[in-house]
Amino acid sequence: MVTKQFTGSPEAQADLRRADSLAREIFSDVANKWALLIIEALGDHTLRFSEVRGEVEGISHKMLTQNLRMLERNGLVERTVYPTVPPKVEYTLTEPGQGLRKTVDVMCDWTHRHIGHIEAARSGFDGG
């Protein structure tokens, strides 16, 4: 994994419009379907890897690993390893992760409210 070094003012680093901003990199990391689904799956729970995978239908072992690492790197997920045989690893949302979860919940609510409209628009667009 390559770690970029960001320079410039805090305002510039928080500007999503700038291609070189830290904010855009973070946004790009968390604004993918798997990350959002993992955040929603963790919710208020502490889950083991296999439990997260069971909650996120269709995710591969590799994609779950990559996304959990990215979420941990960005301070949104905390990974706890217990010294047992076999090792026990648990994942939970941090305080910033819980804050992002509130946004994910709003997006889920929006989807439920507008799914009929979107289905109709797609049907008309696709000629169905």
Side-chain angles (χ1 to χ4, degrees):
M1 180 181 332
V2 175
T3 302
K4 296 180 186 175
Q5 295 296 320
F6 292 95
T7 59
S9 68
E11 296 82 22
Q13 289 312 311
D15 188 349
L16 280 174
R17 296 170 297 172
R18 291 179 54 127
D20 64 343
S21 74
L22 177 58
R24 187 179 287 188
E25 181 181 324
I26 294 166
F27 188 80
S28 178
D29 280 351
V30 300
N32 76 69
K33 70 177 179 180
W34 296 125
L36 296 176
L37 292 172
I38 291 166
I39 290 166
E40 187 64 19
L42 284 171
D44 293 324
H45 311 292
T46 296
L47 300 175
R48 296 181 72 171
F49 184 93
S50 60
E51 294 171 321
V52 177
R53 189 166 181 201
E55 291 290 321
V56 182
E57 188 175 321
I59 193 168
S60 69
H61 186 280
K62 178 182 176 182
M63 288 308 298
L64 180 55
T65 299
Q66 288 176 349
N67 277 274
L68 283 169
R69 285 181 182 162
M70 174 273 298
L71 291 167
E72 183 182 8
R73 177 177 182 251
N74 284 308
L76 303 173
V77 167
E78 182 178 319
R79 178 177 179 261
T80 304
V81 181
Y82 297 92
T84 61
V85 178
K88 178 180 174 182
V89 180
E90 294 180 334
Y91 299 90
T92 190
L93 292 177
T94 62
E95 184 179 336
Q98 285 291 345
L100 181 56
R101 178 177 169 237
K102 291 176 185 174
T103 300
V104 173
D105 288 346
V106 169
M107 292 172 61
C108 290
D109 291 344
W110 175 88
T111 303
H112 288 118
R113 278 194 318 275
H114 298 287
I115 198 160
H117 172 83
I118 294 167
E119 285 178 324
R122 285 181 172 193
S123 178
F125 187 85
D126 297 336

PDB file of all heavy atoms in Angstrom, residues 56-92:
ATOM      1  N   VAL A  56     -22.695  -9.340   4.723  1.00  0.00           N
ATOM      2  CA  VAL A  56     -22.507  -8.614   3.456  1.00  0.00           C
ATOM      3  C   VAL A  56     -22.534  -9.630   2.316  1.00  0.00           C
ATOM      4  O   VAL A  56     -21.503 -10.156   1.896  1.00  0.00           O
ATOM      5  CB  VAL A  56     -21.192  -7.806   3.463  1.00  0.00           C
ATOM      6  CG1 VAL A  56     -21.046  -7.026   2.159  1.00  0.00           C
ATOM      7  CG2 VAL A  56     -21.145  -6.863   4.652  1.00  0.00           C
ATOM      8  N   GLU A  57     -23.721  -9.905   1.843  1.00  0.00           N
ATOM      9  CA  GLU A  57     -23.915 -10.915   0.820  1.00  0.00           C
ATOM     10  C   GLU A  57     -23.154 -10.573  -0.460  1.00  0.00           C
ATOM     11  O   GLU A  57     -23.191  -9.436  -0.930  1.00  0.00           O
ATOM     12  CB  GLU A  57     -25.406 -11.034   0.501  1.00  0.00           C
ATOM     13  CG  GLU A  57     -25.744 -12.187  -0.414  1.00  0.00           C
ATOM     14  CD  GLU A  57     -27.249 -12.341  -0.600  1.00  0.00           C
ATOM     15  OE1 GLU A  57     -27.988 -12.165   0.387  1.00  0.00           O
ATOM     16  OE2 GLU A  57     -27.656 -12.638  -1.737  1.00  0.00           O
ATOM     17  N   GLY A  58     -22.430 -11.546  -0.988  1.00  0.00           N
ATOM     18  CA  GLY A  58     -21.745 -11.394  -2.268  1.00  0.00           C
ATOM     19  C   GLY A  58     -20.315 -10.898  -2.183  1.00  0.00           C
ATOM     20  O   GLY A  58     -19.610 -10.859  -3.194  1.00  0.00           O
ATOM     21  N   ILE A  59     -19.838 -10.524  -1.007  1.00  0.00           N
ATOM     22  CA  ILE A  59     -18.474 -10.014  -0.893  1.00  0.00           C
ATOM     23  C   ILE A  59     -17.499 -11.189  -0.813  1.00  0.00           C
ATOM     24  O   ILE A  59     -17.765 -12.184  -0.129  1.00  0.00           O
ATOM     25  CB  ILE A  59     -18.312  -9.062   0.310  1.00  0.00           C
ATOM     26  CG1 ILE A  59     -16.969  -8.295   0.212  1.00  0.00           C
ATOM     27  CG2 ILE A  59     -18.439  -9.806   1.634  1.00  0.00           C
ATOM     28  CD1 ILE A  59     -16.849  -7.129   1.173  1.00  0.00           C
ATOM     29  N   SER A  60     -16.393 -11.068  -1.529  1.00  0.00           N
ATOM     30  CA  SER A  60     -15.369 -12.112  -1.480  1.00  0.00           C
ATOM     31  C   SER A  60     -14.481 -11.903  -0.258  1.00  0.00           C
ATOM     32  O   SER A  60     -14.430 -10.823   0.329  1.00  0.00           O
ATOM     33  CB  SER A  60     -14.511 -12.076  -2.749  1.00  0.00           C
ATOM     34  OG  SER A  60     -13.715 -10.901  -2.762  1.00  0.00           O
ATOM     35  N   HIS A  61     -13.771 -12.957   0.100  1.00  0.00           N
ATOM     36  CA  HIS A  61     -12.825 -12.894   1.218  1.00  0.00           C
ATOM     37  C   HIS A  61     -11.809 -11.774   0.976  1.00  0.00           C
ATOM     38  O   HIS A  61     -11.521 -10.967   1.874  1.00  0.00           O
ATOM     39  CB  HIS A  61     -12.122 -14.251   1.350  1.00  0.00           C
ATOM     40  CG  HIS A  61     -11.233 -14.375   2.531  1.00  0.00           C
ATOM     41  ND1 HIS A  61      -9.961 -13.855   2.564  1.00  0.00           N
ATOM     42  CD2 HIS A  61     -11.444 -14.956   3.741  1.00  0.00           C
ATOM     43  CE1 HIS A  61      -9.414 -14.120   3.734  1.00  0.00           C
ATOM     44  NE2 HIS A  61     -10.296 -14.793   4.470  1.00  0.00           N
ATOM     45  N   LYS A  62     -11.299 -11.701  -0.251  1.00  0.00           N
ATOM     46  CA  LYS A  62     -10.292 -10.695  -0.602  1.00  0.00           C
ATOM     47  C   LYS A  62     -10.845  -9.273  -0.473  1.00  0.00           C
ATOM     48  O   LYS A  62     -10.193  -8.396   0.103  1.00  0.00           O
ATOM     49  CB  LYS A  62      -9.799 -10.939  -2.035  1.00  0.00           C
ATOM     50  CG  LYS A  62      -8.792  -9.918  -2.515  1.00  0.00           C
ATOM     51  CD  LYS A  62      -8.382 -10.197  -3.946  1.00  0.00           C
ATOM     52  CE  LYS A  62      -7.453  -9.114  -4.462  1.00  0.00           C
ATOM     53  NZ  LYS A  62      -7.064  -9.321  -5.850  1.00  0.00           N
ATOM     54  N   MET A  63     -12.050  -9.031  -1.003  1.00  0.00           N
ATOM     55  CA  MET A  63     -12.632  -7.683  -0.942  1.00  0.00           C
ATOM     56  C   MET A  63     -12.951  -7.284   0.495  1.00  0.00           C
ATOM     57  O   MET A  63     -12.761  -6.128   0.877  1.00  0.00           O
ATOM     58  CB  MET A  63     -13.885  -7.588  -1.812  1.00  0.00           C
ATOM     59  CG  MET A  63     -13.606  -7.588  -3.300  1.00  0.00           C
ATOM     60  SD  MET A  63     -12.390  -6.352  -3.818  1.00  0.00           S
ATOM     61  CE  MET A  63     -13.171  -4.839  -3.371  1.00  0.00           C
ATOM     62  N   LEU A  64     -13.418  -8.237   1.298  1.00  0.00           N
ATOM     63  CA  LEU A  64     -13.707  -7.925   2.696  1.00  0.00           C
ATOM     64  C   LEU A  64     -12.416  -7.572   3.428  1.00  0.00           C
ATOM     65  O   LEU A  64     -12.369  -6.586   4.170  1.00  0.00           O
ATOM     66  CB  LEU A  64     -14.417  -9.098   3.378  1.00  0.00           C
ATOM     67  CG  LEU A  64     -14.779  -8.890   4.845  1.00  0.00           C
ATOM     68  CD1 LEU A  64     -15.612  -7.631   5.052  1.00  0.00           C
ATOM     69  CD2 LEU A  64     -15.506 -10.115   5.381  1.00  0.00           C
ATOM     70  N   THR A  65     -11.371  -8.342   3.199  1.00  0.00           N
ATOM     71  CA  THR A  65     -10.078  -8.063   3.823  1.00  0.00           C
ATOM     72  C   THR A  65      -9.573  -6.684   3.432  1.00  0.00           C
ATOM     73  O   THR A  65      -9.174  -5.888   4.290  1.00  0.00           O
ATOM     74  CB  THR A  65      -9.043  -9.135   3.426  1.00  0.00           C
ATOM     75  OG1 THR A  65      -9.502 -10.408   3.890  1.00  0.00           O
ATOM     76  CG2 THR A  65      -7.679  -8.835   4.012  1.00  0.00           C
ATOM     77  N   GLN A  66      -9.593  -6.371   2.136  1.00  0.00           N
ATOM     78  CA  GLN A  66      -9.105  -5.076   1.662  1.00  0.00           C
ATOM     79  C   GLN A  66      -9.899  -3.917   2.255  1.00  0.00           C
ATOM     80  O   GLN A  66      -9.327  -2.906   2.677  1.00  0.00           O
ATOM     81  CB  GLN A  66      -9.165  -5.007   0.129  1.00  0.00           C
ATOM     82  CG  GLN A  66      -8.132  -5.845  -0.557  1.00  0.00           C
ATOM     83  CD  GLN A  66      -8.285  -5.823  -2.075  1.00  0.00           C
ATOM     84  OE1 GLN A  66      -9.277  -5.339  -2.618  1.00  0.00           O
ATOM     85  NE2 GLN A  66      -7.301  -6.372  -2.761  1.00  0.00           N
ATOM     86  N   ASN A  67     -11.211  -4.062   2.295  1.00  0.00           N
ATOM     87  CA  ASN A  67     -12.051  -2.970   2.796  1.00  0.00           C
ATOM     88  C   ASN A  67     -11.942  -2.812   4.302  1.00  0.00           C
ATOM     89  O   ASN A  67     -11.923  -1.688   4.801  1.00  0.00           O
ATOM     90  CB  ASN A  67     -13.498  -3.164   2.346  1.00  0.00           C
ATOM     91  CG  ASN A  67     -13.724  -2.639   0.954  1.00  0.00           C
ATOM     92  OD1 ASN A  67     -14.003  -1.465   0.772  1.00  0.00           O
ATOM     93  ND2 ASN A  67     -13.555  -3.503  -0.041  1.00  0.00           N
ATOM     94  N   LEU A  68     -11.844  -3.906   5.042  1.00  0.00           N
ATOM     95  CA  LEU A  68     -11.650  -3.789   6.484  1.00  0.00           C
ATOM     96  C   LEU A  68     -10.313  -3.115   6.792  1.00  0.00           C
ATOM     97  O   LEU A  68     -10.233  -2.266   7.681  1.00  0.00           O
ATOM     98  CB  LEU A  68     -11.738  -5.158   7.160  1.00  0.00           C
ATOM     99  CG  LEU A  68     -13.146  -5.711   7.332  1.00  0.00           C
ATOM    100  CD1 LEU A  68     -13.092  -7.178   7.753  1.00  0.00           C
ATOM    101  CD2 LEU A  68     -13.949  -4.891   8.330  1.00  0.00           C
ATOM    102  N   ARG A  69      -9.272  -3.467   6.049  1.00  0.00           N
ATOM    103  CA  ARG A  69      -7.966  -2.825   6.249  1.00  0.00           C
ATOM    104  C   ARG A  69      -8.029  -1.332   5.944  1.00  0.00           C
ATOM    105  O   ARG A  69      -7.466  -0.504   6.667  1.00  0.00           O
ATOM    106  CB  ARG A  69      -6.898  -3.494   5.382  1.00  0.00           C
ATOM    107  CG  ARG A  69      -6.464  -4.826   5.907  1.00  0.00           C
ATOM    108  CD  ARG A  69      -5.388  -5.436   5.041  1.00  0.00           C
ATOM    109  NE  ARG A  69      -5.030  -6.751   5.541  1.00  0.00           N
ATOM    110  CZ  ARG A  69      -4.386  -7.659   4.842  1.00  0.00           C
ATOM    111  NH1 ARG A  69      -4.007  -7.399   3.596  1.00  0.00           N
ATOM    112  NH2 ARG A  69      -4.093  -8.831   5.360  1.00  0.00           N
ATOM    113  N   MET A  70      -8.716  -0.979   4.855  1.00  0.00           N
ATOM    114  CA  MET A  70      -8.841   0.427   4.482  1.00  0.00           C
ATOM    115  C   MET A  70      -9.631   1.193   5.552  1.00  0.00           C
ATOM    116  O   MET A  70      -9.252   2.293   5.948  1.00  0.00           O
ATOM    117  CB  MET A  70      -9.531   0.550   3.113  1.00  0.00           C
ATOM    118  CG  MET A  70      -9.848   1.964   2.677  1.00  0.00           C
ATOM    119  SD  MET A  70     -11.446   2.587   3.280  1.00  0.00           S
ATOM    120  CE  MET A  70     -12.589   1.451   2.516  1.00  0.00           C
ATOM    121  N   LEU A  71     -10.713   0.610   6.040  1.00  0.00           N
ATOM    122  CA  LEU A  71     -11.514   1.262   7.076  1.00  0.00           C
ATOM    123  C   LEU A  71     -10.718   1.400   8.370  1.00  0.00           C
ATOM    124  O   LEU A  71     -10.807   2.425   9.056  1.00  0.00           O
ATOM    125  CB  LEU A  71     -12.809   0.487   7.310  1.00  0.00           C
ATOM    126  CG  LEU A  71     -13.824   0.545   6.156  1.00  0.00           C
ATOM    127  CD1 LEU A  71     -14.918  -0.491   6.353  1.00  0.00           C
ATOM    128  CD2 LEU A  71     -14.410   1.942   6.012  1.00  0.00           C
ATOM    129  N   GLU A  72      -9.910   0.396   8.684  1.00  0.00           N
ATOM    130  CA  GLU A  72      -9.046   0.474   9.861  1.00  0.00           C
ATOM    131  C   GLU A  72      -7.987   1.560   9.667  1.00  0.00           C
ATOM    132  O   GLU A  72      -7.739   2.365  10.567  1.00  0.00           O
ATOM    133  CB  GLU A  72      -8.383  -0.881  10.114  1.00  0.00           C
ATOM    134  CG  GLU A  72      -7.522  -0.906  11.347  1.00  0.00           C
ATOM    135  CD  GLU A  72      -6.825  -2.249  11.569  1.00  0.00           C
ATOM    136  OE1 GLU A  72      -6.883  -3.135  10.700  1.00  0.00           O
ATOM    137  OE2 GLU A  72      -6.199  -2.386  12.633  1.00  0.00           O
ATOM    138  N   ARG A  73      -7.384   1.615   8.495  1.00  0.00           N
ATOM    139  CA  ARG A  73      -6.360   2.618   8.189  1.00  0.00           C
ATOM    140  C   ARG A  73      -6.904   4.029   8.341  1.00  0.00           C
ATOM    141  O   ARG A  73      -6.218   4.939   8.812  1.00  0.00           O
ATOM    142  CB  ARG A  73      -5.837   2.412   6.772  1.00  0.00           C
ATOM    143  CG  ARG A  73      -4.814   3.452   6.340  1.00  0.00           C
ATOM    144  CD  ARG A  73      -4.288   3.148   4.943  1.00  0.00           C
ATOM    145  NE  ARG A  73      -3.293   4.130   4.578  1.00  0.00           N
ATOM    146  CZ  ARG A  73      -3.485   5.082   3.664  1.00  0.00           C
ATOM    147  NH1 ARG A  73      -4.627   5.173   3.012  1.00  0.00           N
ATOM    148  NH2 ARG A  73      -2.532   5.949   3.397  1.00  0.00           N
ATOM    149  N   ASN A  74      -8.157   4.227   7.959  1.00  0.00           N
ATOM    150  CA  ASN A  74      -8.779   5.539   8.042  1.00  0.00           C
ATOM    151  C   ASN A  74      -9.403   5.808   9.415  1.00  0.00           C
ATOM    152  O   ASN A  74     -10.045   6.833   9.607  1.00  0.00           O
ATOM    153  CB  ASN A  74      -9.832   5.698   6.941  1.00  0.00           C
ATOM    154  CG  ASN A  74      -9.200   5.955   5.591  1.00  0.00           C
ATOM    155  OD1 ASN A  74      -8.369   6.845   5.444  1.00  0.00           O
ATOM    156  ND2 ASN A  74      -9.566   5.163   4.596  1.00  0.00           N
ATOM    157  N   GLY A  75      -9.211   4.900  10.356  1.00  0.00           N
ATOM    158  CA  GLY A  75      -9.681   5.116  11.721  1.00  0.00           C
ATOM    159  C   GLY A  75     -11.171   4.952  11.909  1.00  0.00           C
ATOM    160  O   GLY A  75     -11.736   5.457  12.884  1.00  0.00           O
ATOM    161  N   LEU A  76     -11.828   4.232  11.002  1.00  0.00           N
ATOM    162  CA  LEU A  76     -13.274   4.056  11.080  1.00  0.00           C
ATOM    163  C   LEU A  76     -13.662   2.727  11.712  1.00  0.00           C
ATOM    164  O   LEU A  76     -14.781   2.577  12.212  1.00  0.00           O
ATOM    165  CB  LEU A  76     -13.891   4.176   9.687  1.00  0.00           C
ATOM    166  CG  LEU A  76     -13.585   5.503   8.982  1.00  0.00           C
ATOM    167  CD1 LEU A  76     -14.076   5.472   7.547  1.00  0.00           C
ATOM    168  CD2 LEU A  76     -14.186   6.657   9.751  1.00  0.00           C
ATOM    169  N   VAL A  77     -12.752   1.770  11.648  1.00  0.00           N
ATOM    170  CA  VAL A  77     -12.971   0.443  12.227  1.00  0.00           C
ATOM    171  C   VAL A  77     -11.801   0.113  13.133  1.00  0.00           C
ATOM    172  O   VAL A  77     -10.648   0.400  12.801  1.00  0.00           O
ATOM    173  CB  VAL A  77     -13.102  -0.633  11.114  1.00  0.00           C
ATOM    174  CG1 VAL A  77     -13.020  -2.044  11.677  1.00  0.00           C
ATOM    175  CG2 VAL A  77     -14.412  -0.454  10.353  1.00  0.00           C
ATOM    176  N   GLU A  78     -12.116  -0.474  14.268  1.00  0.00           N
ATOM    177  CA  GLU A  78     -11.085  -0.945  15.187  1.00  0.00           C
ATOM    178  C   GLU A  78     -11.027  -2.462  15.096  1.00  0.00           C
ATOM    179  O   GLU A  78     -12.054  -3.138  15.139  1.00  0.00           O
ATOM    180  CB  GLU A  78     -11.423  -0.533  16.616  1.00  0.00           C
ATOM    181  CG  GLU A  78     -10.385  -0.949  17.622  1.00  0.00           C
ATOM    182  CD  GLU A  78     -10.727  -0.486  19.017  1.00  0.00           C
ATOM    183  OE1 GLU A  78     -11.196   0.664  19.166  1.00  0.00           O
ATOM    184  OE2 GLU A  78     -10.550  -1.279  19.953  1.00  0.00           O
ATOM    185  N   ARG A  79      -9.821  -2.971  14.949  1.00  0.00           N
ATOM    186  CA  ARG A  79      -9.580  -4.415  14.848  1.00  0.00           C
ATOM    187  C   ARG A  79      -8.920  -4.860  16.149  1.00  0.00           C
ATOM    188  O   ARG A  79      -7.890  -4.316  16.542  1.00  0.00           O
ATOM    189  CB  ARG A  79      -8.649  -4.677  13.661  1.00  0.00           C
ATOM    190  CG  ARG A  79      -8.271  -6.105  13.449  1.00  0.00           C
ATOM    191  CD  ARG A  79      -7.398  -6.190  12.177  1.00  0.00           C
ATOM    192  NE  ARG A  79      -6.971  -7.523  11.914  1.00  0.00           N
ATOM    193  CZ  ARG A  79      -5.777  -8.016  12.224  1.00  0.00           C
ATOM    194  NH1 ARG A  79      -4.872  -7.244  12.823  1.00  0.00           N
ATOM    195  NH2 ARG A  79      -5.471  -9.257  11.940  1.00  0.00           N
ATOM    196  N   THR A  80      -9.522  -5.852  16.795  1.00  0.00           N
ATOM    197  CA  THR A  80      -8.983  -6.374  18.041  1.00  0.00           C
ATOM    198  C   THR A  80      -8.620  -7.834  17.833  1.00  0.00           C
ATOM    199  O   THR A  80      -9.459  -8.633  17.396  1.00  0.00           O
ATOM    200  CB  THR A  80     -10.013  -6.259  19.185  1.00  0.00           C
ATOM    201  OG1 THR A  80     -10.422  -4.898  19.295  1.00  0.00           O
ATOM    202  CG2 THR A  80      -9.412  -6.719  20.504  1.00  0.00           C
ATOM    203  N   VAL A  81      -7.361  -8.171  18.140  1.00  0.00           N
ATOM    204  CA  VAL A  81      -6.873  -9.541  18.002  1.00  0.00           C
ATOM    205  C   VAL A  81      -6.669 -10.114  19.397  1.00  0.00           C
ATOM    206  O   VAL A  81      -5.980  -9.516  20.223  1.00  0.00           O
ATOM    207  CB  VAL A  81      -5.545  -9.598  17.212  1.00  0.00           C
ATOM    208  CG1 VAL A  81      -5.065 -11.031  17.069  1.00  0.00           C
ATOM    209  CG2 VAL A  81      -5.702  -8.943  15.853  1.00  0.00           C
ATOM    210  N   TYR A  82      -7.279 -11.258  19.650  1.00  0.00           N
ATOM    211  CA  TYR A  82      -7.134 -11.933  20.933  1.00  0.00           C
ATOM    212  C   TYR A  82      -6.115 -13.064  20.791  1.00  0.00           C
ATOM    213  O   TYR A  82      -6.148 -13.809  19.810  1.00  0.00           O
ATOM    214  CB  TYR A  82      -8.476 -12.501  21.394  1.00  0.00           C
ATOM    215  CG  TYR A  82      -9.501 -11.419  21.627  1.00  0.00           C
ATOM    216  CD1 TYR A  82     -10.374 -11.027  20.614  1.00  0.00           C
ATOM    217  CD2 TYR A  82      -9.577 -10.769  22.850  1.00  0.00           C
ATOM    218  CE1 TYR A  82     -11.314 -10.020  20.829  1.00  0.00           C
ATOM    219  CE2 TYR A  82     -10.499  -9.762  23.080  1.00  0.00           C
ATOM    220  CZ  TYR A  82     -11.362  -9.401  22.064  1.00  0.00           C
ATOM    221  OH  TYR A  82     -12.280  -8.398  22.273  1.00  0.00           O
ATOM    222  N   PRO A  83      -5.205 -13.202  21.767  1.00  0.00           N
ATOM    223  CA  PRO A  83      -4.144 -14.213  21.680  1.00  0.00           C
ATOM    224  C   PRO A  83      -4.651 -15.608  22.053  1.00  0.00           C
ATOM    225  O   PRO A  83      -4.357 -16.148  23.105  1.00  0.00           O
ATOM    226  CB  PRO A  83      -3.111 -13.707  22.696  1.00  0.00           C
ATOM    227  CG  PRO A  83      -3.930 -12.978  23.719  1.00  0.00           C
ATOM    228  CD  PRO A  83      -5.081 -12.375  22.961  1.00  0.00           C
ATOM    229  N   THR A  84      -5.448 -16.156  21.146  1.00  0.00           N
ATOM    230  CA  THR A  84      -5.966 -17.503  21.329  1.00  0.00           C
ATOM    231  C   THR A  84      -5.538 -18.349  20.153  1.00  0.00           C
ATOM    232  O   THR A  84      -5.029 -17.845  19.158  1.00  0.00           O
ATOM    233  CB  THR A  84      -7.504 -17.492  21.423  1.00  0.00           C
ATOM    234  OG1 THR A  84      -8.030 -16.958  20.197  1.00  0.00           O
ATOM    235  CG2 THR A  84      -7.994 -16.661  22.590  1.00  0.00           C
ATOM    236  N   VAL A  85      -5.752 -19.646  20.275  1.00  0.00           N
ATOM    237  CA  VAL A  85      -5.462 -20.557  19.167  1.00  0.00           C
ATOM    238  C   VAL A  85      -6.771 -21.236  18.801  1.00  0.00           C
ATOM    239  O   VAL A  85      -7.348 -21.940  19.621  1.00  0.00           O
ATOM    240  CB  VAL A  85      -4.402 -21.601  19.566  1.00  0.00           C
ATOM    241  CG1 VAL A  85      -4.163 -22.570  18.421  1.00  0.00           C
ATOM    242  CG2 VAL A  85      -3.114 -20.909  19.974  1.00  0.00           C
ATOM    243  N   PRO A  86      -7.272 -21.023  17.594  1.00  0.00           N
ATOM    244  CA  PRO A  86      -6.790 -20.073  16.586  1.00  0.00           C
ATOM    245  C   PRO A  86      -7.067 -18.634  17.031  1.00  0.00           C
ATOM    246  O   PRO A  86      -7.908 -18.405  17.896  1.00  0.00           O
ATOM    247  CB  PRO A  86      -7.614 -20.427  15.346  1.00  0.00           C
ATOM    248  CG  PRO A  86      -8.885 -21.004  15.877  1.00  0.00           C
ATOM    249  CD  PRO A  86      -8.508 -21.687  17.176  1.00  0.00           C
ATOM    250  N   PRO A  87      -6.362 -17.678  16.415  1.00  0.00           N
ATOM    251  CA  PRO A  87      -6.550 -16.282  16.812  1.00  0.00           C
ATOM    252  C   PRO A  87      -7.999 -15.833  16.610  1.00  0.00           C
ATOM    253  O   PRO A  87      -8.650 -16.213  15.646  1.00  0.00           O
ATOM    254  CB  PRO A  87      -5.626 -15.501  15.880  1.00  0.00           C
ATOM    255  CG  PRO A  87      -4.663 -16.500  15.369  1.00  0.00           C
ATOM    256  CD  PRO A  87      -5.367 -17.821  15.369  1.00  0.00           C
ATOM    257  N   LYS A  88      -8.485 -15.059  17.535  1.00  0.00           N
ATOM    258  CA  LYS A  88      -9.826 -14.485  17.438  1.00  0.00           C
ATOM    259  C   LYS A  88      -9.656 -13.010  17.094  1.00  0.00           C
ATOM    260  O   LYS A  88      -8.924 -12.291  17.776  1.00  0.00           O
ATOM    261  CB  LYS A  88     -10.556 -14.639  18.768  1.00  0.00           C
ATOM    262  CG  LYS A  88     -11.944 -14.041  18.797  1.00  0.00           C
ATOM    263  CD  LYS A  88     -12.590 -14.251  20.168  1.00  0.00           C
ATOM    264  CE  LYS A  88     -13.919 -13.535  20.236  1.00  0.00           C
ATOM    265  NZ  LYS A  88     -14.524 -13.680  21.567  1.00  0.00           N
ATOM    266  N   VAL A  89     -10.309 -12.570  16.019  1.00  0.00           N
ATOM    267  CA  VAL A  89     -10.220 -11.181  15.570  1.00  0.00           C
ATOM    268  C   VAL A  89     -11.632 -10.625  15.483  1.00  0.00           C
ATOM    269  O   VAL A  89     -12.527 -11.253  14.915  1.00  0.00           O
ATOM    270  CB  VAL A  89      -9.523 -11.074  14.194  1.00  0.00           C
ATOM    271  CG1 VAL A  89      -9.426  -9.626  13.745  1.00  0.00           C
ATOM    272  CG2 VAL A  89      -8.149 -11.717  14.234  1.00  0.00           C
ATOM    273  N   GLU A  90     -11.820  -9.449  16.072  1.00  0.00           N
ATOM    274  CA  GLU A  90     -13.121  -8.792  16.049  1.00  0.00           C
ATOM    275  C   GLU A  90     -12.993  -7.387  15.479  1.00  0.00           C
ATOM    276  O   GLU A  90     -11.954  -6.749  15.611  1.00  0.00           O
ATOM    277  CB  GLU A  90     -13.713  -8.708  17.460  1.00  0.00           C
ATOM    278  CG  GLU A  90     -14.061 -10.047  18.056  1.00  0.00           C
ATOM    279  CD  GLU A  90     -14.642  -9.925  19.447  1.00  0.00           C
ATOM    280  OE1 GLU A  90     -14.352  -8.936  20.148  1.00  0.00           O
ATOM    281  OE2 GLU A  90     -15.391 -10.843  19.819  1.00  0.00           O
ATOM    282  N   TYR A  91     -14.089  -6.927  14.877  1.00  0.00           N
ATOM    283  CA  TYR A  91     -14.134  -5.606  14.262  1.00  0.00           C
ATOM    284  C   TYR A  91     -15.309  -4.831  14.840  1.00  0.00           C
ATOM    285  O   TYR A  91     -16.401  -5.376  15.027  1.00  0.00           O
ATOM    286  CB  TYR A  91     -14.307  -5.722  12.747  1.00  0.00           C
ATOM    287  CG  TYR A  91     -13.165  -6.450  12.087  1.00  0.00           C
ATOM    288  CD1 TYR A  91     -13.195  -7.829  11.924  1.00  0.00           C
ATOM    289  CD2 TYR A  91     -12.040  -5.759  11.650  1.00  0.00           C
ATOM    290  CE1 TYR A  91     -12.134  -8.499  11.329  1.00  0.00           C
ATOM    291  CE2 TYR A  91     -10.980  -6.424  11.060  1.00  0.00           C
ATOM    292  CZ  TYR A  91     -11.038  -7.797  10.910  1.00  0.00           C
ATOM    293  OH  TYR A  91      -9.988  -8.452  10.328  1.00  0.00           O
ATOM    294  N   THR A  92     -15.083  -3.561  15.104  1.00  0.00           N
ATOM    295  CA  THR A  92     -16.133  -2.675  15.596  1.00  0.00           C
ATOM    296  C   THR A  92     -15.901  -1.278  15.031  1.00  0.00           C
ATOM    297  O   THR A  92     -14.772  -0.916  14.702  1.00  0.00           O
ATOM    298  CB  THR A  92     -16.156  -2.666  17.141  1.00  0.00           C
ATOM    299  OG1 THR A  92     -17.312  -1.981  17.578  1.00  0.00           O
ATOM    300  CG2 THR A  92     -14.931  -2.000  17.719  1.00  0.00           C
TER     301      THR A  92
END
